[in-house]
Amino acid sequence: MLDSLSELFSAMAQFAAPANLVMIFAAGLIGTVVGALPGLGPSAGIALMMPLTFGMDPVAGLSLLTGVYMGTMYGGRLTSILINTPGDAPAIVTAIEGYPMMQQGKGGLALGISAIASFIGGLFGLVVLVLFAPVIAEYAIFLGPPEYFMLMLLGLSMIIVLAGSDPIKALIATFFGILISTIGSDYVSGNARFVIMPELIDGVDFVAVIIGLYGIGEVLAGIEERVRLEMGKPRFRFSEFVPNRGELRQSALPILRGSTLGTMIGVLPGAGATIATFVSYITERKLSKTPERFGKGAIEGLASPEAANNAAVPGSLIPLLALGIPGSGGTAIMLGALVMFGLNPGPMLMIQSADIVWGTIAGLVIANFFLLLSNIMLIPIFVNALRIIQKHLSAIVLAFCLVGAFAINYGLFEIWVTAIFGIIGYMMKRADYPTGPFILALVLSPLAENYLRQSIMLGQGDWGIFFAKPLTMSFTTLVLMVMAFGVIKAPLMAFWRRRRG
Amino acid sequence: MEKGIHLIFLGLLTAFAVSILAGSQDLKFADEYSFGPGFVPVVIATLMLVCCVIQAIRLVRATPAEAAEDRSKLPPNLAGLALAIAIIGFGVASMSLGSVFGPVAAILLLISWGVTRHPLPISLFVSASTTALLYLIFSVWLGLPIT
């Protein structure tokens, strides 16, 4: 563990060049604004920033993306507290307590406490990431193709079970992602699959897909819904953001509990920040001696979910960096970024590309400090930026998507792919299909197919290889249990609702 | 409207799955020791077809209350949506003439003025300033060959 800390400090020293610091500060600001805009969440933020990383070195590029990822988690709370409009799903819980505080004239305090809780949650998650990711990676090198395939299947099946209320829609989205990933050359057999034009020989470009899905898709949905934010002109004094000793004492334990829950839930594939915020809110309400205050501006109900929200980001990076397995749409895009930078995701990543991984983590730590400062000191700037940008959001995001898509290969083909997936993204949003399983399947499938093929070859055609060793069998059993839970989840919930009347 | 979009989406996915199944005919499914490049597409496309059929049946059987649209605010801006898609389509097609920033500026102007209904001077300003910013980021800062 001391090695991890020394690696981190050395990476921080290397990272502290003025250009890098300015970039990560800007990434945090952009992420905060993107996170605050309804419809544009972490996945959209990372997707829109992806073209900017072309030509950057991996550490700078990954720091930009993780900085935006972290920033979106801070930003979601702004519009939740100020105008009761959550910027993203995890910020729904923030609005439950934050907006009543705003109505009571404690908006500054709500913003201050949520910023501090976000900072501590993020820092807690980062400490866990720094201490545990290398340990997991150390053991993960002993895993073989069958175990890897089952871990990937576990991630996919958990996201199907946990994504929304309709598992069939999540299944269809997953299958769609898998089929899109099969287009192009099959690297094992050398066969070209479904290559109806030469541009498809390398497959459908992942960056073009995510820019279309999260950028143009959201723009089209926003145009149809006529989304408008009435930000008003809230005025705060700096002193209002700073909680007093009693308020800090009141929120200390909830922040700690939220941080722990957020990190633990963030690690689980498919769970993520949204579930972490709801679980931590319910926990605080259960633990409170005065639960009737909840929903009316309870500080604990604001602090704990905010800490959980930000702790879930480093938590979700643990399986990504240690095992190469993403657990959410956002981390799946990060996995795509790792591949784009020529890195080899998996347990060897922390050994072969230690400088890049530690540089990225150092960037996250620095981003978290910048975000605390900016989210307390620059609130008026954020509010004004949101007021101006949201009026012209659709046109600006659209332009960014089109130029970004062209920058992938300097050809029109990727722009058409982006535009087509923009329309698909719009339809998925309208028909309420989750995009997380689609992206996860798109990124994981080529790797999973490869591991499955290697496993079957190892077993000489025998599928019993997935039950051959105790570890493989326990992973397989876990996958089967998750699938069984997915099947009985709906009847179980209906039964539970009936019993509770 | 959600139901209509949902059915169109399911129809497109079904067509996609069928085309994948048709395209997999020439790909080897399996041999003695492993499976071929056709295994995953055939299995997954079949599963997707089954799921699409189940979902379509559920959707058609759904009562109007279940399929009701959750719209309490403004009516959907379908004309704006269609106009935006047409502007994007024509804009991207015009990029084949050689320039990217030119059509992007035009798309920005038309979306801002024609779809989101901002006054023309503001739309012109947004179009010019955003295109200039994109030029600065992509061409000047990142040095990418975009014209």
Side-chain angles (χ1 to χ4, degrees), chain A residues 196-489:
Chain A
I196 50 171
M197 52 181 76
E199 288 90 345
L200 284 173
I201 197 89
D202 287 328
V204 180
D205 194 278
F206 163 74
V207 182
V209 172
I210 58 163
I211 293 176
L213 206 67
Y214 292 109
I216 296 183
E218 291 296 343
V219 165
L220 295 178
I223 287 172
E224 194 230 290
E225 287 174 2
R226 304 171 202 255
V227 177
R228 277 281 159 89
L229 298 180
E230 296 304 333
M231 292 298 294
K233 290 193 175 175
R235 291 184 186 280
F236 299 111
R237 285 194 304 275
F238 179 72
S239 59
E240 289 178 48
F241 295 124
V242 185
N244 61 33
R245 195 175 289 179
E247 288 153 351
L248 277 177
R249 200 178 303 131
Q250 201 180 346
S251 50
L253 276 176
I255 290 176
L256 195 65
R257 282 192 288 266
S259 304
T260 314
L261 278 171
T263 311
M264 280 160 52
I265 295 172
V267 175
L268 296 176
T274 310
I275 292 178
T277 54
F278 277 96
V279 170
S280 59
Y281 182 74
I282 293 163
T283 307
E284 289 308 318
R285 204 177 158 155
K286 289 259 182 217
L287 290 176
S288 174
K289 286 174 185 160
T290 51
E292 66 278 1
R293 288 188 302 114
F294 280 70
K296 295 170 190 161
I299 287 180
E300 307 93 301
L302 174 72
S304 181
E306 270 303 317
N309 179 19
N310 282 47
V313 174
S316 68
L317 290 175
I318 294 174
L320 178 71
L321 295 177
L323 303 169
I325 297 172
S328 64
T331 43
I333 299 175
M334 292 295 300
L335 179 73
L338 290 175
V339 175
M340 193 179 79
F341 284 117
L343 304 175
N344 189 15
M348 295 307 283
L349 181 72
M350 294 202 85
I351 297 161
Q352 287 172 340
S353 314
D355 52 337
I356 295 169
V357 174
W358 288 110
T360 308
I361 296 172
L364 265 175
V365 175
I366 295 168
N368 203 33
F369 279 95
F370 279 158
L371 281 163
L372 172 69
L373 288 178
S374 63
N375 273 269
I376 286 181
M377 299 176 83
L378 303 180
I379 291 289
I381 294 175
F382 283 130
V383 172
N384 284 319
L386 283 171
R387 191 182 295 121
I388 296 165
I389 289 172
Q390 63 98 13
K391 281 184 191 166
H392 304 283
L393 184 69
S394 43
I396 294 170
V397 171
L398 195 57
F400 212 88
C401 291
L402 295 177
V403 177
F406 183 80
I408 297 168
N409 270 333
Y410 312 117
L412 282 185
F413 182 74
E414 273 72 25
I415 302 190
W416 282 116
V417 171
T418 300
I420 290 166
F421 274 91
I423 295 171
I424 291 172
Y426 163 76
M427 287 200 280
M428 285 180 85
K429 195 175 165 74
R430 275 281 137 268
D432 198 22
Y433 279 73
T435 50
F438 170 77
I439 289 295
L440 205 60
L442 183 68
V443 176
L444 276 186
S445 297
L447 297 167
E449 188 182 355
N450 204 16
Y451 282 128
L452 176 61
R453 210 175 281 187
Q454 284 176 11
S455 307
I456 301 299
M457 280 177 181
L458 277 173
Q460 297 190 316
D462 182 9
W463 288 74
I465 189 151
F466 293 110
F467 296 93
K469 285 194 287 184
L471 188 64
T472 324
M473 195 163 77
S474 50
F475 284 157
T476 311
T477 313
L478 215 55
V479 170
L480 293 174
M481 278 165 64
V482 171
M483 285 177 175
F485 176 71
V487 172
I488 61 164
K489 191 179 100 171

Side-chain angles (χ1 to χ4, degrees), chain A residues 52 193 224 226 391 410 433, chain B residues 6 37 75 77 118 137 144:
Chain A
L52 288 187
R193 296 193 287 200
E224 194 230 290
R226 304 171 202 255
K391 281 184 191 166
Y410 312 117
Y433 279 73
Chain B
H6 200 161
N77 181 12
H118 291 295
I137 293 172
L144 302 178

Side-chain angles (χ1 to χ4, degrees), chain A residues 7-338:
Chain A
E7 293 263 23
L8 178 68
F9 287 127
S10 139
M12 281 175 96
Q14 283 176 9
F15 194 83
N20 285 340
L21 294 179
V22 169
M23 192 198 61
I24 204 134
F25 183 66
L29 295 188
I30 293 167
T32 307
V33 173
V34 168
L37 292 164
L40 297 180
S43 301
I46 306 169
L48 289 173
M49 287 298 114
M50 208 85 142
L52 288 187
T53 62
F54 300 160
M56 282 187 184
D57 70 89
V59 174
L62 288 170
S63 299
L64 176 72
L65 298 180
T66 46
V68 169
Y69 190 9
M70 204 79 174
T72 55
M73 291 300 174
Y74 273 80
R77 69 191 225 292
L78 283 179
T79 40
S80 277
I81 293 170
L82 294 174
I83 54 168
N84 200 21
T85 307
D88 51 17
I92 293 169
V93 178
T94 309
I96 298 174
E97 301 300 336
Y99 188 61
M101 285 177 79
M102 178 75 189
Q103 285 176 313
Q104 293 159 19
K106 294 182 192 167
L109 177 66
L111 288 168
I113 283 192
S114 59
I116 292 167
S118 299
F119 169 74
I120 296 173
L123 206 61
F124 184 91
L126 282 167
V127 169
V128 177
L129 170 70
V130 167
L131 297 181
F132 287 96
V135 179
I136 296 170
E138 218 169 277
Y139 286 103
I141 54 172
F142 299 111
L143 301 179
E147 290 85 12
Y148 264 105
F149 174 71
M150 279 300 155
L151 274 175
M152 287 176 176
L153 205 57
L154 183 68
L156 276 173
S157 45
M158 275 188 81
I159 203 169
I160 290 167
V161 170
L162 295 173
S165 55
D166 194 339
I168 293 205
K169 284 184 178 176
L171 261 179
I172 292 175
T174 308
F175 292 150
F176 184 37
I178 296 173
L179 289 184
I180 293 285
S181 79
T182 60
I183 297 172
S185 291
D186 172 39
Y187 293 108
V188 177
S189 65
N191 282 79
R193 296 193 287 200
F194 323 115
V195 179
I196 50 171
M197 52 181 76
E199 288 90 345
L200 284 173
I201 197 89
D202 287 328
V204 180
D205 194 278
F206 163 74
V207 182
V209 172
I210 58 163
I211 293 176
L213 206 67
Y214 292 109
I216 296 183
E218 291 296 343
V219 165
L220 295 178
I223 287 172
E224 194 230 290
E225 287 174 2
R226 304 171 202 255
V227 177
R228 277 281 159 89
L229 298 180
E230 296 304 333
M231 292 298 294
K233 290 193 175 175
R235 291 184 186 280
F236 299 111
R237 285 194 304 275
F238 179 72
S239 59
E240 289 178 48
F241 295 124
V242 185
N244 61 33
R245 195 175 289 179
E247 288 153 351
L248 277 177
R249 200 178 303 131
Q250 201 180 346
S251 50
L253 276 176
I255 290 176
L256 195 65
R257 282 192 288 266
S259 304
T260 314
L261 278 171
T263 311
M264 280 160 52
I265 295 172
V267 175
L268 296 176
T274 310
I275 292 178
T277 54
F278 277 96
V279 170
S280 59
Y281 182 74
I282 293 163
T283 307
E284 289 308 318
R285 204 177 158 155
K286 289 259 182 217
L287 290 176
S288 174
K289 286 174 185 160
T290 51
E292 66 278 1
R293 288 188 302 114
F294 280 70
K296 295 170 190 161
I299 287 180
E300 307 93 301
L302 174 72
S304 181
E306 270 303 317
N309 179 19
N310 282 47
V313 174
S316 68
L317 290 175
I318 294 174
L320 178 71
L321 295 177
L323 303 169
I325 297 172
S328 64
T331 43
I333 299 175
M334 292 295 300
L335 179 73
L338 290 175

